Amino acid sequence: MNFLRCFFRYFLALQGYYMWDSFAAGVALSGMRHGEAGGVNEFAELEYMNITVVTSNEPYGARDGSNPFFDGRATPKFGLQEGGVHSGHVQTGIRDAFCLVPGGNRGRCEDGYTKEVSGPEAVRVHVATRAKPNADKSSPLNREFFKSFLEALNLPENAGRFNISTQFPHYREIFYKPDFRNVSRGKAVIFDVDMSPGDFVSLIYLLKEPREVIDLKAVLVSGNGWANISSIDIVYDVLHMMGRDDVPVGLGNTTSLGNPTLGCKIFYAIPHGSGGFIDSDTLYGLAWSLPRSPRRYMSENLDHPERQQPHAYDVWQSIRKQLGPGEKITVLTSGPLTNLANISLSDIDASSVIERVYVVGGHIRDSGHDKGNVFTVPSNRYAEFNMFLDPLAAKTILESSLNITLIPLTVQRKVASFEGILAAFEQHTQHTPESRFVHGLISLLQKLQRKQKLYDHMDIFLGEVLGAVYMVQGSNLEPSVKVKPVSIVANTTESTDGQILSRIKSANQLKILYNLNNGVYYNHLANSLANDKQSAVVGSFEEQKAIWSRSQKQFMTNIANDMK
């Protein structure tokens, strides 16, 4: 069975397959075969209509300051008609009060709808109004296009020649799980990330630390942060590279706390949209150089729960059950605090097994004039991304009784130097696969920042690694820590959400990292990644392809020869 047939069967069986794009391609191909003018389309009934894309809402001709085509203009822009379908209220946002219907779940605004209209604002378009039924009444397929679609997929001509098992004759799924039976375990750590580039550097760093120092129990992934949830594949690939397929990965909610539906806040706040389109979702292209893990992102499957992506809360519960008597967990967060907030609200005894929480993010608004980093929302001058993207979760955690150390934006900026980090890496003549990968990633971020103004924000990822290093090294970094009472602004307006205020009367006290020895930090990070202990089991996709191209017997012979 070729790839397309597998793809179609998979989606049809698991979650339904949305055929409209394929159907549109079929209608277009039929039109090209038989001619648009007067030709009969095999798959759709066509008719000419006068249509337009609506940009406003009734009452048309009203003036409320929302319509830039009409408001304040003596003559409408683009020659639009007074009182036409473009002359009313323009929706200003997802929660535009004009569009909301009291007591209902649906709005009344029609911005972006395609509508049949008359007059000069309309365009005459050939429209497919109905899919033609299957001429074969005995067929289980009720549309003529479905029959053609399946016949095309099954044609031997132009069939797919490669899938992963035919491209690599000795392909095999290998799960690398280290033997820690005779190794003492260090601090039990759960790492909570939103999969921004710095999080992957931090993950590799934690995996390099000896098990006697750091016992990484799980990775939790936030679905409402920097990257698309399918970027969880990169987490799996990094764990596979480092020989840690034993580490469970749990996916959290895709919405912020208190928001049951996905709004547009995340999409416009994160540069280039949530996930940065193909940018951060592929680590700017470098994700393709990582070896491919057998574990992949799995979408929701209600019929087969065993095939679903593990949920963050389920992973938390599993790790908690594995704890020995008196053993506690240290949590390192490097994204919105959604996962930890949901855990603390769902598990009322969670705080009893959490020894400490290291929070990477936040910006303390005190007497200083330093701004936050949510530059995509100019009205909010003092918030930091992780707090802004889920302010209610930030308030829930930072104003709780948990023992919290905050690594805020001010100290992150002190170490966010491409030159400082790269210089420390370049002192080493010996490199591991993981140090080469991290060096390549940081070099690429620097190159992008220098080359294109859209990437001015690249250095914000460098400070994210500080949380992991400080959690491990602590006093070795010569830190300066202060304890301050704070409060968090949540669910007010986008111009203040996520801001952290220093208030003397607040009962909540946070340990806040303010300073450290930059040189010690850079050198320790570079030395740790260049150390050949606990190095990558399979260093890259190229190395993996070489493994898959050899038989197991040949592979073991080559290893034996290399060891001589």
Side-chain angles (χ1 to χ4, degrees), residues 272-285:
H272 307 171
S274 180
F277 297 132
I278 63 169
D279 280 336
S280 60
D281 285 342
T282 64
L283 281 186
Y284 304 91

Side-chain angles (χ1 to χ4, degrees), residues 200-201 204-205 207-208 237-238 240-243 283 286-287 289-291 425 428-442 525-544 547:
F200 293 103
V201 179
I204 292 172
Y205 169 78
L207 295 169
K208 289 288 292 181
D237 291 344
V238 168
H240 187 66
M241 176 177 77
M242 302 302 293
L283 281 186
L286 285 182
S289 67
L290 291 168
F425 272 91
H428 293 273
T429 55
Q430 299 289 332
H431 294 282
T432 59
E434 56 272 18
S435 71
R436 282 193 292 269
F437 178 79
V438 171
H439 182 274
L441 174 60
I442 295 173
L525 178 61
N527 292 340
S528 175
L529 296 181
N531 191 331
D532 59 5
K533 291 183 179 179
Q534 291 188 196
S535 187
V537 174
V538 53
S540 65
F541 185 59
E542 289 300 316
E543 184 178 326
Q544 194 175 40
I547 294 172

Side-chain angles (χ1 to χ4, degrees), residues 406-562:
L406 189 72
I407 294 88
L409 194 57
T410 48
V411 71
Q412 291 182 50
R413 284 170 169 160
K414 292 179 187 293
V415 300
S417 164
F418 285 112
E419 292 75 14
I421 294 179
L422 292 174
F425 272 91
E426 287 158 7
Q427 288 177 1
H428 293 273
T429 55
Q430 299 289 332
H431 294 282
T432 59
E434 56 272 18
S435 71
R436 282 193 292 269
F437 178 79
V438 171
H439 182 274
L441 174 60
I442 295 173
S443 299
L444 177 58
L445 297 179
Q446 182 189 45
K447 182 179 178 181
L448 289 171
Q449 187 184 57
R450 288 175 173 175
K451 185 177 180 180
Q452 174 57 256
K453 187 173 178 59
L454 287 173
Y455 294 103
D456 274 350
H457 61 282
M458 290 294 99
D459 56 345
I460 70 176
F461 302 127
L462 301 180
E464 296 177 325
V465 189
L466 178 56
V469 178
Y470 179 64
M471 180 184 70
V472 174
Q473 286 295 299
S475 60
N476 293 334
L477 297 181
E478 303 171 21
S480 172
V481 178
K482 298 178 183 179
V483 178
K484 276 195 170 186
V486 299
S487 64
I488 292 83
V489 181
N491 284 9
T492 54
T493 64
E494 69 174 21
S495 61
T496 57
D497 268 350
Q499 294 184 14
I500 302 178
L501 307 178
S502 179
R503 288 181 174 163
I504 297 175
K505 293 183 178 180
S506 174
N508 199 55
Q509 304 271 338
L510 292 185
K511 296 182 184 71
I512 301 170
L513 180 64
Y514 271 89
N515 209 348
L516 72 157
N517 187 317
N518 289 14
V520 173
Y521 165 72
Y522 296 143
N523 289 330
H524 171 75
L525 178 61
N527 292 340
S528 175
L529 296 181
N531 191 331
D532 59 5
K533 291 183 179 179
Q534 291 188 196
S535 187
V537 174
V538 53
S540 65
F541 185 59
E542 289 300 316
E543 184 178 326
Q544 194 175 40
K545 288 196 296 183
I547 294 172
W548 289 341
S549 300
R550 293 173 287 181
S551 66
Q552 183 70 16
K553 181 178 179 181
Q554 180 186 358
F555 178 59
M556 298 306 296
T557 301
N558 291 345
I559 290 179
N561 292 335
D562 291 341

Side-chain angles (χ1 to χ4, degrees), residues 108-140:
R108 65 187 180 109
C109 286
E110 297 183 338
D111 302 66
Y113 283 24
T114 303
K115 207 169 193 177
E116 187 174 10
V117 297
S118 59
E121 291 179 322
V123 176
R124 186 170 171 79
V125 176
H126 212 192
V127 179
T129 57
R130 183 172 175 265
K132 287 186 175 180
N134 192 345
D136 182 1
K137 302 300 182 184
S138 63
S139 171

